[in-house]
Amino acid sequence: MALPNKRKYVIIMGILLLAFVLILVLIKLINVKQQLDRYQRRYLESFSSLKLVLGFRHRAVKNVVDAAQLYLLQEPQLGEHLAQSRDGAEKALLQTSRSLTADTVEALCGAEAQLNTLLKKLQSLIEQNRDGRHNSRLAGLLEILDAAENDVVSARRIYNRDAEHYNQLLQKPPVCWCAKHLGHNQAAGIVQFDDNNVMQMSRHLLM
């Protein structure tokens, strides 16, 4: 038996309304996905910049350690530990760049913090054994390390800002309701380690 015209009309309107709602939901999901992708791309690009300056810092540390061998003769283990720590920081940076997760970022922070601790010991060793003579090569390399440290501080600040913006977006409704289903299932790691106290060492040592 044919449905009354009024009932057909109600069914058609219901279908149209449901289709309209589904289209609105789809549009909203697309907008959320685009926003998440944009914020994620921003912090990934910031990490690429941080990776570059950290790599430059590691090379600067190697050059400083090589130039400070005269001082390290009194503490050869410090030189070995510095070399090992720098290599560990390089490996942690490589691993983090391959897989930027909270765990790899935490490992990177630990490696950089350990390197900072050893650099402070190197600074103390140089201060204790200054003979009043100017070592222009070491002083020049320390200036390069100073510049690298400043660049790291700046790049880390920018990365952390972008990562925090992404993490905040993940926690906001309605984003938090659908982020995992859109491929955004983990927060960005925050890079946290103390600023190196050997920054600007070249201004106070060997002058």
Side-chain angles (χ1 to χ4, degrees):
M1 184 177 181
L3 290 171
N5 290 338
K6 186 175 181 180
R7 189 176 178 185
K8 288 182 180 180
Y9 175 78
V10 170
I11 292 174
I12 292 172
M13 290 303 297
I15 293 173
L16 291 175
L17 181 60
L18 179 60
F20 179 71
V21 170
L22 290 175
I23 291 172
L24 289 180
V25 171
L26 181 61
I27 291 173
K28 183 61 179 179
L29 286 174
I30 292 173
N31 289 337
V32 168
K33 179 72 164 59
Q34 289 175 340
Q35 190 177 19
L36 284 167
D37 289 345
R38 185 169 64 252
Y39 275 58
Q40 184 184 58
R41 185 165 55 250
R42 190 177 299 165
Y43 87 75
L44 289 175
E45 290 172 353
S46 297
F47 182 80
S48 294
S49 299
L50 178 59
K51 176 189 173 184
L52 288 176
V53 296
L54 281 173
F56 182 74
R57 178 201 185 214
H58 297 157
R59 291 190 294 274
V61 168
K62 181 180 185 303
N63 292 335
V64 166
V65 171
D66 290 344
Q69 288 302 312
L70 214 63
Y71 297 92
L72 289 168
L73 286 175
Q74 301 181 46
E75 288 192 37
Q77 285 189 341
L78 177 58
E80 294 175 5
H81 292 161
L82 274 164
Q84 292 170 0
S85 180
R86 189 199 74 88
D87 290 344
E90 276 284 286
K91 291 178 181 177
L93 179 60
L94 180 61
Q95 182 61 35
T96 306
S97 64
R98 288 175 176 172
S99 177
L100 187 56
T101 66
D103 289 340
T104 57
V105 169
E106 183 179 357
L108 174 62
C109 292
E112 294 294 339
Q114 182 184 45
L115 184 57
N116 279 352
T117 298
L118 293 171
L119 284 171
K120 292 170 188 175
K121 291 182 179 180
L122 176 61
Q123 178 182 16
S124 177
L125 179 64
I126 294 174
E127 287 177 333
Q128 292 169 9
N129 294 279
R130 292 170 62 190
D131 55 10
R133 290 178 297 178
H134 179 68
N135 187 328
S136 58
R137 178 170 179 265
L138 182 54
L141 292 172
L142 287 171
E143 287 181 357
I144 294 174
L145 178 57
D146 290 343
E149 297 289 0
N150 284 323
D151 290 343
V152 168
V153 170
S154 177
R156 187 186 64 187
R157 185 181 301 118
I158 293 172
Y159 165 78
N160 283 343
R161 179 200 64 195
D162 292 340
E164 287 171 354
H165 287 170
Y166 174 78
N167 292 344
Q168 290 168 4
L169 178 62
L170 283 179
Q171 297 172 1
K172 289 182 179 179
V175 177
C176 61
W177 303 333
C178 56
K180 290 183 179 180
H181 303 290
L182 297 174
H184 294 264
N185 52 11
Q186 62 181 358
I190 302 299
V191 176
Q192 295 177 328
F193 54 86
D194 292 336
D195 292 338
N196 192 359
N197 285 347
V198 302
M199 272 201 308
Q200 310 307 325
M201 176 173 17
S202 63
R203 297 183 182 180
H204 307 294
L205 300 178
L206 311 171
M207 297 299 179

